[in-house]
């Protein structure tokens, strides 16, 4: 058909037009950097190498050649870097004429009268190099979009990954001598002791936070349990604590990826837990006017929270990363929660389920590092935990279902444990004992925290002895 053909031709022409345009650069600034390196080599060469990295940041191939030659001479302490030795080095390597001869080198040497703005010049050179990299990535991506054999999700993931690599290159850390950072770090530790700075985001379970320091930026926190023990309920309790907190500088913004429950089910669970009600009172028509009042109050409270729910089933790791990045950029989320890991899918076919789970686990850890926020991921334990000792058996790291990679990637691995049959025997308003076991803690100690589980309202609370701030407001001492 004529219209599609014209559309493709138009797109291809636009792409060709972009390729023909000169890419962003400033040759004068590049010359200024090289001039500074020649005028004061002892101080400027090392600074330029640190700020620029490789010669590829220069647009001009001539400037790249000269930069490489200067650095090569500088790496030989017995040689002095000056105009004469540089010309001689290029002559011996057969590149002197290619860069324009001695006259070009002399012009570059005299190009700037002072070197005080070297850091600014290097920043400009790097920024143009970054723009050129982005143009290359985008141009190649546009070209691949016209290829009918291109797999869409794989291409999107590749583009996102390459763009993040550009960002990471721009934000790369510089080398810091310890004595220069001691003062700042001492003050940071003092601020933590004084309560001015959080180590991590408090979970609302203070005894757990004593073990873990809370949910820390860039860390993968695993909460695992057998089916029907209450890991989703505990995760929602944590989300509620964070999103409605009045004891932190501000309530937290949470993204909850629920692969098992719908958004409506999650919202209903949050409402009933906040109201202190069992969902069953609505199904069996046993609710009363006071229950409706409590539910209304809960709705008012939750309306002021910032909780995002994504109920996509069979989510792939690339889809998770894309959605989480978007919410981090648009909504400034503080935490990602995933329920649960084994329901996710890898981006490509694997020889075994263990390999697929390993790829997913690695991707989640990388997501936490990329976004610099904590990721709380729920996981299923295998049935081995119930063999031998039965339902009361305590879980171990070896019980993590389908992959030891989860243990390897996670910064913290914890288990939720209780006797599942006990909940069937309790009356409404009564609780059963539960344990939150910190089994692996990369940066701290391990141990067991006692909890109470109220099955009718699907809520976990700290077991006695506990502090007043661990209690919901309506249950605190007068």
């Amino acid at each position: 058909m004529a219209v599609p053909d014209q559309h493709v031709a138009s797109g291809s022409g636009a792409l060709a037009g972009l390729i023909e345009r000169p890419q962003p650069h400033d040759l004068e600034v590049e010359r200024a950097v090289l001039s500074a390196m020649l005028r004061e080599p002892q101080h400027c060469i090392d600074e330029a190498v640190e700020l620029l990295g490789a010669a590829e940041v220069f647009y001009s191939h001539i400037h790249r050649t000269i930069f490489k030659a200067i650095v090569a001479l500088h790496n030989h302490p017995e040689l002095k870097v000056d105009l004469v030795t540089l010309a001689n080095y290029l002559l011996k390597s057969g590149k002197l004429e290619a860069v324009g001869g001695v006259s070009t080198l002399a012009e570059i040497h005299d190009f700037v009268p002072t070197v005080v703005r070297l850091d600014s010049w290097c920043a400009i050179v790097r920024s143009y190099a970054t723009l050129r990299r982005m143009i290359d990535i985008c141009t190649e991506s546009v070209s691949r979009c016209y290829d009918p054999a291109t797999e869409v999700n794989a291409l999107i993931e590749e583009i996102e990954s390459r763009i993040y690599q550009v960002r990471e290159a721009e934000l790369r850390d510089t080398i810091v001598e310890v004595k220069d950072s001691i003062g700042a770090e001492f003050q940071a530790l003092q601020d933590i002791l004084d309560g001015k700075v959080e180590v991590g985001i408090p979970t609302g379970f203070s005894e757990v936070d004593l073990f873990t320091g809370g949910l820390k930026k860039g860390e993968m926190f695993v909460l695992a349990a057998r089916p029907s023990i209450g890991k989703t309920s505990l995760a929602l309790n944590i989300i509620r604590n964070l999103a409605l907190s009045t004891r932190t500088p501000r309530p937290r913004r949470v993204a909850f990826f629920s692969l098992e429950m719908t958004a409506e089910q999650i919202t209903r669970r949050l409402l009933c837990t906040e109201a202190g009600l069992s969902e069953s009172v609505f199904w069996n028509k046993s609710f009363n006017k006071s229950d409706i009042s409590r539910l209304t109050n809960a709705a008012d409270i939750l309306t002021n929270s910032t909780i995002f729910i994504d109920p996509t089933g069979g989510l792939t790791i690339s889809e998770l990363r894309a959605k989480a990045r978007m919410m981090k950029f648009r909504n400034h989320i503080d935490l990602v929660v995933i329920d649960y890991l084994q329901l996710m899918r890898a981006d490509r076919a694997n020889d075994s389920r263990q390999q697929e789970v390993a790829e997913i686990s690695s991707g989640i850890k990388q997501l936490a590092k990329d976004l610099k926020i904590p990721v709380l991921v729920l996981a299923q334990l295998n049935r081995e935990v119930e063999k031998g000792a039965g339902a009361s058996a305590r879980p171990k790291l070896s019980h993590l279902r389908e992959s030891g990679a989860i243990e390897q990637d996670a910064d913290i691995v914890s288990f939720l444990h209780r006797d599942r049959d006990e909940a069937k025997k309790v009356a409404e308003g009564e609780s059963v004992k539960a344990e939150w076991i910190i089994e692996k803690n990369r940066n701290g100690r391990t141990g067991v925290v006692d909890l109470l589980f109220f099955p009718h309202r699907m809520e976990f609370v700290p077991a006695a002895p506990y502090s007043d701030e661990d209690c919901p407001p309506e249950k605190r001492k007068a």
Side-chain angles (χ1 to χ4, degrees):
M1 294 176 62
V3 173
D5 288 344
Q6 290 173 0
H7 177 73
V8 171
S10 174
S12 301
L15 178 61
L18 285 174
I19 295 173
E20 291 171 1
R21 291 175 60 183
Q23 292 189 337
H25 67 280
D26 191 325
L27 296 180
E28 292 192 351
V29 176
E30 293 185 4
R31 290 192 193 101
V33 171
L34 296 175
S35 179
M37 295 172 72
L38 284 172
R39 293 180 72 89
E40 294 189 19
Q42 188 174 0
H43 305 292
C44 294
I45 294 177
D46 288 332
E47 183 177 357
V49 170
E50 181 183 351
L51 294 174
L52 297 177
E56 282 66 33
V57 296
F58 289 92
Y59 178 76
S60 166
H61 70 278
I62 292 175
H63 295 163
R64 292 181 188 180
T65 301
I66 295 172
F67 179 83
K68 290 178 181 178
I70 293 173
V71 173
L73 286 172
H74 185 62
N75 289 334
H76 291 82
E78 71 278 5
L79 298 177
K80 182 180 179 180
V81 180
D82 56 25
L83 188 58
V84 175
T85 54
L86 177 61
N88 183 60
Y89 179 89
L90 289 169
L91 178 64
K92 288 182 176 180
S93 59
K95 298 176 181 177
L96 182 59
E97 292 303 316
V99 302
V102 176
S103 60
T104 297
L105 297 181
E107 289 176 5
I108 290 175
H109 181 276
D110 298 333
F111 191 75
V112 295
T114 177
V115 300
V116 294
R117 294 190 59 204
L118 176 60
D119 57 342
S120 299
W121 298 330
C122 288
I124 294 171
V125 171
R126 276 191 63 84
S127 67
Y128 280 126
T130 299
L131 290 175
R132 293 195 298 272
R133 284 192 64 190
M134 289 298 298
I135 289 172
D136 291 341
I137 292 170
C138 294
T139 303
E140 181 183 343
S141 301
V142 170
S143 178
R144 289 183 60 186
C145 285
Y146 285 98
D147 184 353
T150 299
E151 204 282 311
V152 176
N153 289 331
L155 177 60
I156 293 172
E157 173 66 17
E158 181 183 335
I159 294 170
E160 286 185 342
S161 177
R162 292 180 66 183
I163 290 174
Y164 258 75
Q165 288 173 10
V166 174
R167 167 58 66 189
E168 287 300 310
E170 279 296 289
L171 298 177
R172 62 181 183 155
D173 296 329
T174 55
I175 297 173
V176 177
E177 192 170 356
V178 170
K179 66 181 181 182
D180 295 330
S181 63
I182 284 177
E185 291 309 310
F186 182 88
Q187 185 59 52
L189 292 172
Q190 187 65 51
D191 289 343
I192 291 173
L193 291 174
D194 294 340
K196 297 178 181 178
V197 176
E198 292 177 335
V199 179
I201 301 173
T203 61
F205 295 85
S206 58
E207 195 173 347
V208 172
D209 295 336
L210 287 176
F211 284 94
T212 65
L215 301 166
K216 298 191 284 293
K217 293 180 179 180
E219 289 196 350
M220 176 180 171
F221 190 121
V222 172
L223 173 61
R226 289 170 289 137
S228 302
I229 294 298
K231 59 182 180 295
T232 300
S233 295
L234 181 54
L236 288 174
N237 294 164
I238 295 170
I239 291 172
R240 173 172 154 243
N241 292 342
L242 269 58
L244 303 178
S245 176
T246 58
R247 298 196 297 271
T248 56
R250 62 175 176 82
R252 310 296 176 157
R253 299 167 176 260
V254 183
F256 184 54
F257 291 89
S258 175
L259 288 83
E260 192 172 31
M261 298 172 65
T262 66
E264 292 78 13
Q265 289 173 318
I266 295 295
T267 303
R268 190 184 307 134
R269 179 80 66 86
L270 286 168
L271 273 171
C272 290
T273 301
E274 181 62 28
L277 296 172
S278 170
E279 288 187 41
S280 63
V281 301
F282 299 97
W283 314 145
N284 59 27
K285 308 292 185 180
S286 62
F287 60 88
N288 53 47
K289 289 184 178 180
S290 64
D291 292 338
I292 295 298
S293 176
R294 290 161 67 183
L295 193 67
T296 301
N297 291 335
D300 289 340
I301 292 170
L302 285 167
T303 298
N304 294 319
S305 67
T306 309
I307 303 171
F308 303 95
I309 302 172
D310 186 309
T312 305
L315 196 69
T316 66
I317 190 63
S318 62
E319 289 170 339
L320 169 71
R321 282 202 292 250
K323 292 183 177 188
R325 286 168 182 160
M326 179 186 67
M327 283 191 277
K328 174 66 174 175
F329 177 73
R330 292 181 180 176
N331 308 113
H332 310 291
I333 56 173
D334 301 292
L335 172 69
V336 168
V337 181
I338 303 165
D339 183 19
Y340 58 92
L341 185 146
Q342 284 93 346
L343 290 179
M344 292 187 63
R345 295 186 292 112
D347 296 318
R348 58 179 183 273
N350 287 275
D351 294 334
S352 69
R353 178 59 181 166
Q354 284 74 17
Q355 289 180 355
E356 184 175 26
V357 172
E359 181 182 327
I360 294 167
S361 175
S362 175
I364 292 172
K365 174 59 181 175
Q366 190 60 47
L367 174 68
K369 292 172 65 178
D370 286 346
L371 299 188
K372 297 179 176 59
I373 60 175
V375 175
L376 172 61
V377 55
L378 310 189
Q380 195 89 283
L381 294 175
N382 59 40
R383 294 290 180 181
E384 293 295 319
V385 68
E386 296 183 1
K387 291 184 179 179
S392 62
R394 274 189 171 183
K396 300 183 294 185
L397 289 172
S398 59
H399 295 143
L400 278 170
R401 184 178 171 188
E402 294 177 320
S403 180
I406 301 173
E407 175 190 348
Q408 177 180 319
D409 294 325
D411 297 280
I412 295 172
V413 177
S414 66
F415 301 121
L416 179 62
H417 173 62
R418 66 179 178 86
D419 189 332
R420 187 167 46 211
D421 295 330
E422 283 187 3
K424 302 173 184 177
K425 307 171 185 177
V426 299
E428 186 168 350
E430 293 183 351
S431 64
V432 298
K433 293 180 180 179
E435 293 178 333
W436 193 342
I437 305 168
I438 312 299
E439 189 69 15
K440 174 195 173 182
N441 188 356
R442 183 166 285 157
N443 299 307
R445 60 195 179 97
T446 58
V448 180
V449 175
D450 292 324
L451 304 175
L452 293 177
F453 176 54
F454 293 84
H456 291 89
R457 64 175 190 257
M458 305 301 286
E459 183 177 21
F460 288 88
V461 299
Y466 49 79
S467 65
D468 191 45
E469 69 174 16
D470 284 320
C471 299
E474 68 274 9
K475 299 178 184 176
R476 293 178 193 167
K477 299 172 185 177

